[in-house]
Amino acid sequence: VELKKGIAVGEYLKEKLDGGSITYSFVPQVFAKAYAAAWKQYFCAGNKSTTENQVYLVIEEINRGNCAQIFGDIFQLLDRDGDGLSQYAIDADCDFADWLKNNDAGLKSVWDKYKGEVGEGKLKLPPNLNILATMNTSDQSLFPMDSAFKRRFDWEYVPISFTDEKGNEKEAAKYEIDVPDANGKNYLWKNFVEAVNDKILDLTESEDKQLGEFFIKPDNGNVISKERFLGKVMFYLWNEVCKDEHKNGSFFRAKINDKEDFFTFQDLYKKKDL
């Protein structure tokens, strides 16, 4: 909307709305939908949590946001009793409570059961509502995740591996880097990751900055272009691992005529034969 000069935004909107008003309405998002669906299925199964009526709310990269701010009062609901029901109830936002009570997509059809189990205007997580989250511990999170929040989740570590649980090779095991080795064949991404992760561990004495198998994906087919490799992988290694290390500790070295020499990140672009 192009505003007229000298007219306040409020006055302009009022003029455009012809005396009307701006209204705001509650729009249910993923938590509200999962919450309603879980309670409906819980009551449908006779107030039971079964293998068939589980509802899963999946949060990808949970450490990329401010968890305490995002969860708000819902944080209290994460404390569950032995049956999986929230130990404590919280007050629902008035718009959310109204949607649950009066909307068909909410809990209108089972409201009496819900009110008897949880209470008018109250929230509790049912036993069949599961909150799953993923996070990359190597990421430099924008906000720290406090220990109180972490304790309310069960943790499962997923190691860096180019094979799955059944021993089958993952897709990333076939990736190649468009840089030829001594035999004129492209280096395998798998071999590079395993070698460089050993060096990262030696240099930093930490696993946090190691490369995952899917740190980068090919431009086309199974081949990672040299440009993509430089811009993503080598830049990460230089900026996050080697940049502040003493020269003798850095593994940014080139072997030229059987002699090792150090190089800088910009040398990768300046010296084409490096």
Side-chain angles (χ1 to χ4, degrees):
V1 176
E2 185 178 344
L3 298 181
K4 297 179 181 177
K5 288 183 178 180
I7 298 181
V9 174
E11 294 177 1
Y12 183 72
L13 288 174
K14 186 176 181 181
E15 176 186 319
K16 286 294 182 183
L17 291 168
D18 193 25
S21 60
I22 300 174
T23 59
Y24 299 91
S25 59
F26 177 78
V27 179
Q29 298 299 320
V30 287
F31 174 78
K33 294 175 182 177
Y35 184 84
W39 274 113
K40 285 178 180 177
Q41 294 192 37
Y42 177 76
F43 291 132
C44 184
N47 291 33
K48 292 180 181 179
S49 175
T50 68
T51 54
E52 289 78 24
N53 71 351
Q54 300 300 303
V55 174
Y56 298 91
L57 174 59
V58 182
I59 305 170
E60 174 76 340
E61 305 249 16
I62 192 171
N63 57 325
R64 300 302 296 167
N66 187 333
C67 293
Q69 188 177 62
I70 293 169
F71 273 72
D73 291 347
I74 295 172
F75 173 83
Q76 187 169 314
L77 301 183
L78 299 179
D79 283 322
R80 312 243 192 155
D81 61 22
D83 295 326
L85 183 70
S86 292
Q87 286 182 295
Y88 314 104
I90 64 171
D91 292 327
D93 175 85
C94 59
D95 291 326
F96 186 20
D98 181 69
W99 178 80
L100 288 173
K101 181 178 181 178
N102 300 308
N103 198 289
D104 290 333
L107 298 174
K108 183 178 179 180
S109 60
V110 293
W111 182 251
D112 288 338
K113 291 181 180 179
Y114 178 81
K115 187 170 66 172
E117 181 80 24
V118 180
E120 184 89 29
K122 299 289 184 179
L123 296 178
K124 273 189 177 184
L125 300 183
N128 63 327
L129 178 53
N130 306 272
I131 300 177
L132 306 180
T134 66
M135 66 180 291
N136 186 347
T137 55
S138 301
D139 283 342
Q140 296 177 354
S141 304
L142 301 177
F143 302 94
M145 187 184 294
D146 61 71
S147 296
F149 187 88
K150 292 178 183 177
R151 284 201 308 271
R152 283 158 174 81
F153 283 84
D154 294 324
W155 290 76
E156 180 181 345
Y157 179 73
V158 181
I160 298 169
S161 176
F162 284 88
T163 57
D164 60 24
E165 294 176 351
K166 296 180 179 179
N168 300 316
E169 279 195 336
K170 295 180 182 177
E171 179 188 352
K174 301 175 183 177
Y175 293 171
E176 299 177 1
I177 307 167
D178 191 21
V179 177
D181 61 18
N183 298 316
K185 295 183 178 181
N186 287 341
Y187 278 103
L188 284 176
W189 168 248
K190 174 179 178 290
N191 294 346
F192 173 82
V193 170
E194 291 174 346
V196 83
N197 278 349
D198 286 341
K199 291 191 173 293
I200 292 174
L201 183 60
D202 289 340
L203 186 62
T204 65
E205 297 183 349
S206 170
E207 298 178 54
D208 281 351
K209 293 186 181 295
Q210 290 184 321
L211 301 176
E213 60 267 34
F214 290 104
F215 183 92
I216 189 174
K217 290 192 175 183
D219 311 57
N220 186 31
N222 288 328
V223 180
I224 301 167
S225 70
K226 182 178 179 180
E227 292 73 21
R228 190 174 178 84
F229 180 73
L230 289 178
K232 286 186 175 289
V233 180
M234 296 302 283
F235 177 75
Y236 169 79
L237 293 175
W238 172 253
N239 195 58
E240 301 294 338
V241 181
C242 292
K243 184 178 178 180
D244 297 322
E245 292 295 329
H246 186 270
K247 195 173 184 180
N248 290 327
S250 172
F251 50 76
F252 266 61
R253 308 178 193 181
K255 195 170 186 179
I256 302 172
N257 298 325
D258 294 327
K259 182 183 177 182
E260 271 194 1
D261 197 11
F262 297 97
F263 63 91
T264 66
F265 182 71
Q266 63 178 323
D267 285 339
L268 293 171
Y269 292 86
K270 286 183 176 180
K271 300 178 180 180
K272 300 299 183 183
D273 59 340
L274 184 64

